[in-house]
Amino acid sequence: MATARVLTAANTSCLLSKATSFLPKQSPYSTTTLCFTRRRAASLSLSSSSRSRRSFICTAIYNPEVQIKEEGQPETLDYRLFFVDRSGQKVSPWHDIPLQVGDGVFNVVVEIPKESSAKMEVATDEPHTPIKQDTKKGKLRYYPYNINWNYGLLPQTWEDPSLANNEVGGAFGDNDPVDVVEIGDSRRKIGEILKVKPLAALAMIDEGELDWKIVAISLDDPRASLVNDVDDVEKHFPGTLTAIRDWFRDYKIPDGKPANKFGLGNKAANKAANHQLLLTLWPSSIVLLAKCQNNSYDEQDYALKVISETNESWAKLVKRSIPAGELSLA
């Protein structure tokens, strides 16, 4: 029997935000918001002489309040969790939930609650991309042990499998939305939509594919105001970043597979990525809402860079500038 529950995806409507170019000691928060439907999403060209400028291609359904409709029984091959708008139309948690809420806050769709082991994921190859339990050889997949954090995806992002990332040894994207590890205290529900702020980025290499893990915290967590970067996480959530890396490094070993690897020095992106180095790696200006302090980027800014780039890749995908293959754009 299908059931439904109401969740709010965002308090804003459409969000295509135009970033200003990078200037040290100048606030990057001067932005213009424009509105596009998803099917009209397009990169906003802001080239000036030889410099192009990044933007978030962040669109939203007209009314971001959605309901969760379950079909089938949990932990069965037929189980699907759909997202439905007020009119009763199915919408995609990947394509139709807005990425950006504003002021450096992003939506995350929870796929796997903390302290659970069923490997739930958005079905990127099915119409409306519902959440289902992953399978292998016709059998439901489970992690060998519980995941200790809430796990989900950033909507309107995509790791392009045709794009090599030179920062991590030329690894190609894994053809999925960007994953988020939410470190707050509460155990969330499948399909819950959280407003989070990113804290750091881990570059996991899974069988040769780049699989970003953005570490974030939900704004309603009691300690959310205390953490903004890796140093804060180490102080208020000691050992958590190492535990996340080790968990994702080792979880396939019980199945006889090799450990996953990590780029960026095998740790969360850190302050060693100084201003000049990051401009070399990322010459086309700063991401919207990235902050500059003493000419250096912090861990949160690196995570924003990842979000911006994968949001741009998603925009090209839904415009069909890039072949979608078996991916559903409905």
Side-chain angles (χ1 to χ4, degrees), residues 53-220:
R53 303 177 185 179
R54 293 194 183 279
S55 58
F56 278 108
I57 316 304
C58 189
T59 62
I61 55 178
Y62 175 72
N63 188 334
E65 184 179 272
V66 295
Q67 293 182 337
I68 301 304
K69 183 178 181 181
E70 296 174 295
E71 297 185 3
Q73 295 298 316
E75 299 190 67
T76 67
L77 295 173
D78 296 329
Y79 178 76
R80 297 292 185 275
L81 189 148
F82 286 96
F83 289 67
V84 182
D85 67 17
R86 277 187 171 180
S87 69
Q89 296 293 316
K90 290 179 179 177
V91 296
S92 167
W94 180 18
H95 300 306
D96 293 317
I97 300 299
L99 168 62
Q100 187 189 359
V101 178
D103 295 329
V105 178
F106 298 86
N107 282 318
V108 165
V109 179
V110 176
E111 297 167 296
I112 306 174
K114 68 188 297 184
E115 306 307 332
S116 65
S117 63
K119 193 176 186 303
M120 309 300 294
E121 63 180 17
V122 161
T124 58
D125 59 349
E126 296 185 11
H128 309 296
T129 63
I131 295 176
K132 69 171 186 178
Q133 189 166 351
D134 191 22
T135 60
K136 184 176 182 180
K137 297 181 179 180
K139 295 183 179 181
L140 297 172
R141 291 188 65 189
Y142 294 85
Y143 291 122
Y145 32 72
N146 286 350
I147 189 169
N148 306 126
W149 311 272
N150 297 299
Y151 192 59
L153 66 93
L154 283 166
Q156 300 183 340
T157 62
W158 179 57
E159 299 193 50
D160 185 350
S162 69
L163 186 63
N165 191 312
N166 293 327
E167 299 172 47
V168 288
F172 292 85
D174 70 350
N175 202 33
D176 282 325
V178 172
D179 298 323
V180 174
V181 183
E182 195 277 320
I183 63 173
D185 293 336
S186 297
R187 185 178 189 270
R188 305 297 182 161
K189 297 178 180 179
I190 299 174
E192 189 171 354
I193 299 169
L194 307 179
K195 294 177 177 64
V196 308
K197 58 179 173 180
L199 304 170
L202 286 162
M204 191 176 90
I205 310 299
D206 183 354
E207 298 183 11
E209 295 180 336
L210 178 57
D211 186 3
W212 286 108
K213 308 297 181 189
I214 300 298
V215 180
I217 190 165
S218 180
L219 293 188
D220 63 1

